[in-house]
């Protein structure tokens, strides 16, 4: 009966999370380029294209493959938003469950999860970094669960860790290395055959999805392209946002956390070793591995995703130390009931607010897009008209038209057009030859029109400026369309 009640409570908590997350995701207007690029990756797979060989992507493609399965049912951007709601709701729910598995009272777990949800509410979307966090939280919950079958448990942990590599190779490699080292440390310490087997099973598990990915690429003749974009292309990736920007942030919570989180990693590591707390040590290790996502682009979203597991560790240590300080039974009882009713109040308030916000959004007059693949999503009239005008220009042009801009996919998706490299025209996403390779490609073109953003308009910070400079100096400017200047190459 107790387990049944707990299950119903968990289901209720999950649905409250789901209602709130749905508002923050569905109410966004079209324009988030990360969302557009992620949709485009999955859309290319639906069309039968092979990652790296047929479209430029610099991370491993597991999430795009999963997304493509659902796009086959309904090939619209709104499908991605539904997946985003599910993914982010699961992440927040797992943050809550992880704290519970650490022995933190449910009421406190609800309160701290609500605080973390507030921190990330504006950054929720479908993204491979969020998916890697999800896989990491699943690993933590499996590791902390009581299971008689350690062989299966460690094999599954290894498989999920391998899936991290198949989602984002850099962060995934850190996660896999960390888990193997953690298991190896205790195997060396105990020298038990059982612990050595755990290490081997984790390694075997990691190998399974990684080998499957390599076989998929080999069968489709994409190994060389994979090396070009994911390995050789890294040397051309000179984009970075300094971590100092977080410390200087105008957002107070980001400013404070950017100092607290790295210091806490060191303190939590020492604390877990001194107290011989294996759970905390595992949490800290995975927290450090996940923090790799905050580099070299240390913006708010990367930082918050990378800090999540460490924040759980901070909550855990503060909780056990504060609770142990409460010697007086009456004070402990007061603390227990205060947290309980505060948690209930938060859930009720969030639930009512979430329903109200969703209702208000549905009822208000929004300009929903009627563009192909963007249907039923709010969009500004200005952007929709601009897309339609550029779309019409492309379709009526006698020459082949290329848009060399970071938001090229916004204009090409509705007309089911894809131009490799140009649809995600960012530094570090152009293969081993980088910008020079794109210049060579343009030199070999003939009878084409190339659209670049007008001078004076702000450009994406990852824009390949050398290519843009080459076009302006060597091609003939003919006209303008919306925010673009049109250059002709004979």
């Amino acid at each position: 009966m107790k387990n049944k009640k707990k299950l119903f409570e968990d289901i209720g908590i999950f649905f409250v999370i789901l209602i709130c997350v749905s508002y923050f995701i569905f109410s966004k207007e079209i324009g988030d380029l990360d969302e557009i690029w992620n949709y485009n990756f999955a859309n290319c797979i639906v069309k039968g294209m092979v990652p790296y060989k047929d479209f430029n992507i610099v991370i491993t493609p597991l999430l795009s493959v999963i997304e493509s399965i659902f796009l086959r049912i309904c090939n619209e951007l709104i499908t991605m938003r539904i997946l985003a709601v599910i993914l982010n709701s699961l992440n927040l729910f797992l943050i809550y469950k992880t704290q519970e598995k650490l022995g933190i009272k449910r009421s406190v777990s609800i309160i701290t999860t609500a605080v973390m949800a507030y921190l990330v509410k504006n950054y929720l979307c479908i993204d491979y970094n969020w998916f890697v966090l999800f896989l990491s939280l699943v690993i933590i919950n499996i590791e902390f669960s009581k299971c008689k079958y350690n062989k299966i448990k460690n094999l599954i942990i290894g498989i999920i860790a391998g899936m991290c590599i198949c989602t984002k190779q850099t962060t995934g490699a850190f996660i896999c290395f960390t888990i193997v080292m953690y298991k190896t440390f205790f195997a060396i310490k105990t020298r038990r055959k059982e612990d050595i087997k755990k290490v081997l099973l984790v390694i075997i598990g990691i190998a399974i999805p990684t080998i499957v990915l390599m076989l998929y690429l080999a069968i489709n003749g994409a190994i060389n392209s994979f090396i070009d974009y994911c390995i050789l292309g890294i040397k051309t990736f000179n984009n970075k946002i300094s971590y100092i920007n977080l410390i200087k942030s105008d957002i107070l919570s980001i400013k404070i956390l950017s100092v607290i989180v790295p210091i806490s990693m060191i303190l939590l590591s020492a604390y877990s070793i001194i107290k011989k707390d294996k759970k905390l040590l595992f949490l800290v290790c995975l927290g450090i591995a996940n923090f790799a996502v905050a580099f070299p682009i240390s913006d708010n979203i990367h930082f918050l995703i990378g800090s999540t597991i460490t924040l759980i560790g901070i909550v855990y240590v503060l909780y056990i130390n504060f609770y142990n300080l409460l010697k007086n039974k009456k004070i402990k009882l007061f603390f227990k009931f205060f947290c309980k009713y505060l948690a209930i109040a938060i859930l009720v308030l969030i639930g009512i607010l979430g329903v109200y916000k969703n209702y208000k959004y549905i009822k208000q007059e929004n300009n929903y897009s009627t563009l192909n693949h963007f249907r039923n999503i709010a969009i500004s009239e200005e952007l929709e008209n601009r897309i339609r005008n550029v779309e019409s220009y492309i379709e009526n042009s006698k020459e082949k038209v290329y848009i060399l801009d970071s938001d090229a996919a916004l204009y090409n998706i509705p007309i089911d057009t894809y131009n490799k490299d140009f649809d995600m025209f960012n530094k570090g996403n152009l293969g081993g030859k980088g910008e020079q390779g794109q210049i060579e490609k343009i030199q070999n073109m003939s009878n084409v029109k190339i659209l670049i953003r007008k001078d004076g308009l702000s450009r994406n910070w990852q824009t390949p400026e050398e290519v843009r400079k080459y076009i302006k100096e060597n091609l003939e400017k003919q006209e303008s369309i919306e925010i673009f200047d049109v250059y002709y190459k004979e």
Side-chain angles (χ1 to χ4, degrees), residues 200-266:
L200 294 174
L201 285 166
V202 168
I203 292 170
I204 291 168
I206 291 169
I208 291 170
T210 308
I211 290 170
V212 169
L213 173 63
M214 289 299 108
L215 284 173
Y216 165 76
L217 295 175
I219 290 167
N220 287 283
I223 291 289
N224 289 337
S225 298
F226 168 75
I227 293 169
D228 185 38
Y229 283 98
C230 286
I231 300 173
L232 300 179
I234 291 174
K235 68 182 180 182
T236 70
F237 191 89
N238 55 10
N239 305 330
K240 68 175 184 177
I241 297 177
S242 173
Y243 193 86
I244 299 297
N245 288 351
L246 294 170
I247 298 172
K248 294 179 179 178
S249 175
D250 294 331
I251 303 172
L252 184 60
S253 58
I254 297 292
K255 184 192 291 282
I256 294 170
L257 288 173
S258 65
V259 176
I260 289 175
V261 169
I263 293 172
S264 296
M265 287 177 182
I266 298 168

Side-chain angles (χ1 to χ4, degrees), residues 316-328:
Y316 168 65
V317 171
L318 289 175
Y319 173 81
I320 57 175
N321 281 282
F322 177 75
Y323 200 73
N324 288 336
L325 286 172
L326 298 177
K327 303 295 182 182
N328 190 299

Side-chain angles (χ1 to χ4, degrees), residues 389-417:
N389 290 338
V390 173
E391 177 183 309
S392 177
Y393 181 84
I394 292 171
E395 290 178 332
N396 293 325
S397 177
K398 294 178 182 179
E399 299 86 2
K400 173 68 177 175
V401 178
Y402 294 101
I403 302 173
L404 272 64
D405 196 76
S406 294
D407 63 358
L410 264 174
Y411 305 93
N412 287 329
I413 287 171
I415 56 175
D416 284 310
T417 297

